[in-house]
Amino acid sequence: MKWEVVKGDITTLEVDAIVNAANKSLLGGGGVDGAIHRAAGPELKEACQKLNGAETGEAKLTEGFNLPADYVIHTVGPVYNDGTRGEAELLKACYENSIKLAREHHIKSIAFPSISTGAYRYPIEEAAEIAVDTVVQLTKDSDEIEKVVFSVFDDQTEKIYKKKLSEIES
Ligand code: ADP
C-alpha cells in the first residue's frame, strides 16, 4: 500500500523525509515542531536559522540530523480563522510544495503530520480531506515517491484519516 495512516510519534519513523508543521520563523515551537527539534538535536535549529523563515504554504528542506529520517521538510500551515481567508488553498499548498521539494531531492518515502489541526485549529474533517485528496492526487502516478505515511497522534485524527483514505481508494 502506497498510503498509510500510522499512529504515533513522527520523529521515530524510518522514512527518507518527515514533514514539520512549523511556524513562520522556522526556529521551533510547540506540538510536532517541538518534538522534531528535540529529537533532531540543536543542529536542526542551526540549519533552520539559515533559511530566513517561510511564508504560509511554503516548504523548505533541511537535513534530519539525529532523526532516523534523512531530511525534514518544514512547511507553515495556515492559522484557521473562519475559513474565508484562503485557509484551504494555503493548507493545500503546504502538501503540494512539500511533495515538490521531496521530488527535487529524490525522496522515496515521506511522512506528514496533520498540518494546522493542533494549535492552528483547522477543523480536522476538512483538513484531513485536503491532506488525503492532495497527496493521493499528486502521488498516485509517480514511481519516485513509493510511500506516504499520514502520521497521526490521537485516536480521533486516526479514525478520520483512515475514513478519508478508504473513501478515496474505493
Ligand atoms: P499546528 O500548529 O500546525 O496546528 P501542532 O503541532 O499543534 O501543529 O499540531 C498538528 C498535529 O500534530 C496535531 O494533530 C497534533 O496532535 C500532532 N502531533 C503533535 N506531536 C506529534 C508528534 N510527535 N508526531 C506526530 N504528530 C504530532
Side-chain angles (χ1 to χ4, degrees):
M1 197 69 92
K2 187 162 193 167
W3 309 288
E4 205 183 340
V5 180
V6 175
K7 197 170 93 175
D9 183 357
I10 198 168
T11 67
T12 65
L13 296 177
E14 302 203 358
V15 285
D16 295 341
I18 63 172
V19 176
N20 183 13
N23 58 48
K24 286 184 187 175
S25 79
L26 301 183
L27 298 177
V32 70
D33 192 6
I36 289 171
H37 274 269
R38 277 192 299 279
E43 284 173 298
L44 181 61
K45 190 167 172 182
E46 281 169 35
C48 285
Q49 272 160 346
K50 297 181 187 138
L51 300 175
N52 291 318
E55 295 302 324
T56 307
E58 269 194 309
K60 294 189 176 182
L61 178 135
T62 64
E63 285 179 50
F65 302 102
N66 295 339
L67 291 165
D70 295 328
Y71 298 104
V72 180
I73 293 175
H74 306 264
T75 188
V76 184
V79 176
Y80 191 84
N81 194 283
D82 58 1
T84 69
R85 306 193 186 190
E87 291 96 328
E89 291 76 16
L90 290 166
L91 185 60
K92 189 172 182 184
C94 288
Y95 290 95
E96 289 170 342
N97 288 324
S98 297
I99 285 173
K100 186 165 173 252
L101 205 48
R103 285 229 170 83
E104 286 166 11
H105 290 267
H106 307 291
I107 284 161
K108 292 191 169 65
S109 56
I110 181 167
F112 285 94
S114 181
I115 299 165
S116 284
T117 67
Y120 284 1
R121 302 185 310 271
Y122 209 113
I124 179 63
E125 283 272 357
E126 290 162 55
E129 182 152 327
I130 291 168
V132 171
D133 281 357
T134 306
V135 166
V136 169
Q137 190 64 39
L138 287 174
T139 57
K140 65 178 190 228
D141 298 324
S142 136
D143 292 326
E144 200 157 18
I145 297 177
E146 293 165 359
K147 175 130 206 115
V148 183
V149 175
F150 294 100
S151 168
V152 295
F153 212 48
D154 61 86
D155 292 341
Q156 197 213 1
T157 305
E158 180 185 33
K159 202 172 139 201
I160 292 167
Y161 268 81
K162 282 193 166 162
K163 186 164 153 267
K164 296 287 177 207
L165 197 52
S166 69
E167 282 169 8
I168 245 178
E169 286 174 329
S170 60

